[in-house]
């Protein structure tokens, strides 16, 4: 694989059981590049190591006054120099290719895993962890994969030189052959503590990265509550911990580097002293002494790769472990699916909660816990926990469908959707059914003012579709971002659309218009909206109350508001005390009303009796008057 051939058509299935196994898997998948780098490395290191032999032969030729041998030796040195330059050039090229292709493979694997898991990824792994793995960790993993071939070439060169010295000059060659393995193995006792310190440093750096990522993501909220200084102090503290861990790790690696300088120096002194002694006794020539001395000097170069491979492994092992941890996450079911790729249709049913969303209807779901609502929305999208049954669409388990088919059938919009930078046309460049026009989706989501704002912010955009959106839509308000994300989901027009709090950041007037547009545009399609907004609930054809992980009430908004206290408590934000007070006040008012009615009845009866008595009294007076008149007459 060459750099120009990236990305890989298929990055493969990684061995994510552990960090070392993942590194081994990466190396096995780049055998061609590894052997190429090994070949160029051998050419380079052997040419460098052969130069001292040429120098020794040249010295002997001068001592023997042999011009022919001196010329031949000069030619050999020219060849060694050319081989050194060519080998170094192509070794660097092959090494960089191995580094970049290994890192690209890891990034492709991470991108594929993110697309498979969707929003479930950040619920199972911290967002900062994913960022750290996909940025700094891939470079360290690529470093180790690339360094393996150079280390192998250096180790083979050291063995060849030791064997050559033993044959060329047995007395000094044995000293070098015994001393070089000691040099290579002397740092092994220091590697475990150095590795532990490097792991500790990586752990601290990962935590600092997570904190920084989370702080940046929530910066607007932090500014709103005045928590910037608090999180800044936390990051300062985490940064200082990283610095202290890095200093402790650097001290250990400095000690290893010092040993790598000290021991070759001691070996060189030993070779020189012993060689001078042998030369004085006439057992070796001056040329042989110069050859062995120069070889020991030159071998310090390939020996450096022993230290580098130890450092590369120490730094890449925690990175590989973290990458393997992310890549080991799986969709609860077989990603390939065990059913045909035909997209099912029908009712959406969750056996775990009993939630039923009938086909072709707008169903609103009310949950008292926003986190529970998010988990339920994730389940409806085909990502249930490992110990939970799959959601059924038309009687077909979603987890038995191929991933692309399941994604086509059910689309879940998270409560915090992401807008990528680019034009509005790029934002809506998503797989869609083609039945919904982009402008109709924007109109249903009430994005008119958003389009005006985008056009004003893009001086060269006459068509709103060409207006630029900044990274994550940071130039827009929360409500504007929500509406653009809703328009994108509506434009996709899936068989089932699941929306998690799609209007939580818009005003009530706009929310009411969005509810009407959503109902009109999704007519005849299955839509599930997680919300507690009365404006959306009042326009839903069916409302389901999910309480403590179970669907406990089904109806329409006004009916549930009147008959279901738990529903009323969630929708109206009414507490238990307020509900009890309301019932008490209602009873008291009813009692007062009854008393008032009784008073009115008593007063009416009293008035009636008074009227009767007054009538009797008037009749008696009239009768007395008639009697008096008759007596007078």
């Amino acid at each position: 694989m060459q750099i120009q051939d990236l990305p890989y058509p298929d990055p493969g299935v990684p061995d994510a059981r552990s960090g070392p196994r993942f590194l081994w898997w990466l190396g096995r998948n780049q055998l061609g590049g590894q052997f190429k780098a090994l070949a160029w490395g051998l050419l380079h290191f052997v040419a460098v190591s052969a130069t001292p032999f040429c120098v020794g032969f040249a010295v002997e030729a001068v001592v023997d006054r042999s011009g022919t041998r001196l010329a031949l030796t000069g030619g050999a040195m020219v060849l060694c120099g050319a081989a050194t330059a060519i080998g170094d050039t192509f070794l660097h090229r092959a090494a960089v290719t191995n580094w970049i292709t290994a890192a690209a493979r890891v990034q492709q694997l991470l991108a594929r895993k993110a697309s498979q898991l969707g929003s479930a990824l950040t619920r199972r792994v911290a967002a900062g962890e994913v960022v750290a793995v996909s940025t700094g960790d891939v470079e360290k993993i690529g470093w180790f994969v690339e360094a393996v071939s150079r280390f192998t070439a250096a180790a083979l060169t050291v063995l060849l030189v030791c064997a050559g010295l033993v044959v060329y000059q047995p007395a000094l060659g044995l000293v070098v052959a015994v001393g070089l393995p000691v040099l290579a193995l002397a740092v092994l006792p220091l590697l475990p503590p150095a590795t532990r310190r490097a792991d500790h440093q990586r752990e601290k750096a990962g935590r600092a990265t997570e904190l920084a990522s989370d702080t940046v993501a929530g910066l607007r909220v932090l500014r709103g509550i005045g928590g910037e200084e608090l999180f800044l102090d936390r990051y300062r503290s985490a940064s200082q911990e990283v610095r202290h861990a890095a200093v402790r790790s650097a001290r250990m690696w400095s000690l290893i580097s010092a040993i790598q300088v000290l021991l070759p120096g001691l070996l060189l002194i030993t070779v020189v002293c012993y060689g001078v002694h042998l030369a004085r006794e006439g057992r070796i020539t001056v040329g042989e002494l110069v050859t062995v001395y120069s070889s020991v000097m030159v071998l310090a170069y390939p020996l450096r790769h022993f230290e580098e491979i130890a450092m590369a492994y120490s730094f890449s092992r925690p990175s590989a472990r973290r990458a393997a941890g992310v890549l080991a996450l799986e969709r609860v079911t077989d990603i390939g699916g065990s059913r045909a790729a035909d997209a099912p249709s029908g009712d959406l049913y969750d056996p775990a909660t009993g939630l039923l969303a009938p086909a072709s209807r707008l169903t609103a779901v009310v949950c008292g816990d926003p986190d529970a609502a998010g988990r339920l929305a994730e389940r409806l999208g085909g990502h249930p926990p490992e110990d939970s049954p799959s959601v059924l669409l038309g009687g077909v388990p979603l987890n038995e469908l191929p991933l692309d088919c399941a994604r086509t059938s059910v689309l879940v919009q998270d409560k915090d959707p992401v807008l990528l930078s680019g034009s509005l046309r790029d934002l809506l460049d998503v797989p869609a059914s083609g039945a919904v026009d982009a402008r109709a989706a924007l109109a249903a989501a009430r994005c008119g003012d958003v389009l005006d704002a985008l056009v004003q912010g893009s001086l060269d955009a006459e068509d709103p579709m060409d207006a630029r959106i900044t990274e994550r839509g940071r130039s827009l308000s929360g409500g504007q971002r929500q509406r653009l994300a809703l328009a994108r989901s509506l434009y996709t027009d899936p068989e089932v659309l699941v929306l998690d709090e799609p209007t939580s950041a818009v005003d009530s007037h706009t929310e009411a218009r969005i509810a009407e547009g959503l109902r009109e545009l999704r007519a005849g399609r299955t839509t599930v909206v997680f919300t507690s907004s009365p404006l959306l609930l009042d326009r839903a054809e069916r409302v389901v109350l999910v309480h403590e992980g179970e669907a406990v009430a089904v109806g329409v908004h006004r009916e549930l508001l009147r008959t279901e206290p738990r529903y009323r408590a969630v929708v109206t934000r009414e507490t238990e005390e307020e509900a009890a007070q309301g019932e008490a006040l209602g009873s008291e008012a009813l009692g007062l009303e009854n008393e008032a009615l009784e008073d009115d009845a008593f007063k009416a009866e009293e008035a009636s009796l008074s009227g009767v008595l007054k009538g009797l009294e008037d009749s008696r007076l009239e009768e007395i008057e008639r009697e008096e008149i008759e007596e007078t007459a």
Side-chain angles (χ1 to χ4, degrees), residues 40-41 43-45 47-48 81-95 150 301:
W40 290 117
L43 176 63
H44 172 63
F45 290 126
V48 171
T84 299
I86 294 174
D88 189 25
T89 300
F90 286 94
L91 171 62
H92 180 74
R93 180 186 179 91
R150 288 190 292 112
Y301 170 53

Side-chain angles (χ1 to χ4, degrees), residues 538 543 554-565 567-568:
D538 192 42
V543 179
V554 180
V556 294
H557 170 62
R558 296 173 187 255
E559 175 188 350
L560 292 176
L561 199 63
R562 184 177 64 255
T563 61
E564 180 55 58
Y567 178 83
R568 184 169 58 250

Side-chain angles (χ1 to χ4, degrees), residues 615-631:
L616 292 174
E617 183 178 359
D618 291 343
S619 299
R620 179 60 180 167
L621 289 175
E622 290 177 359
E623 184 178 353
I624 293 173
E625 288 179 356
R626 283 197 303 270
E627 291 178 354
E628 289 180 352
I629 293 174
E630 290 177 355
E631 290 178 358

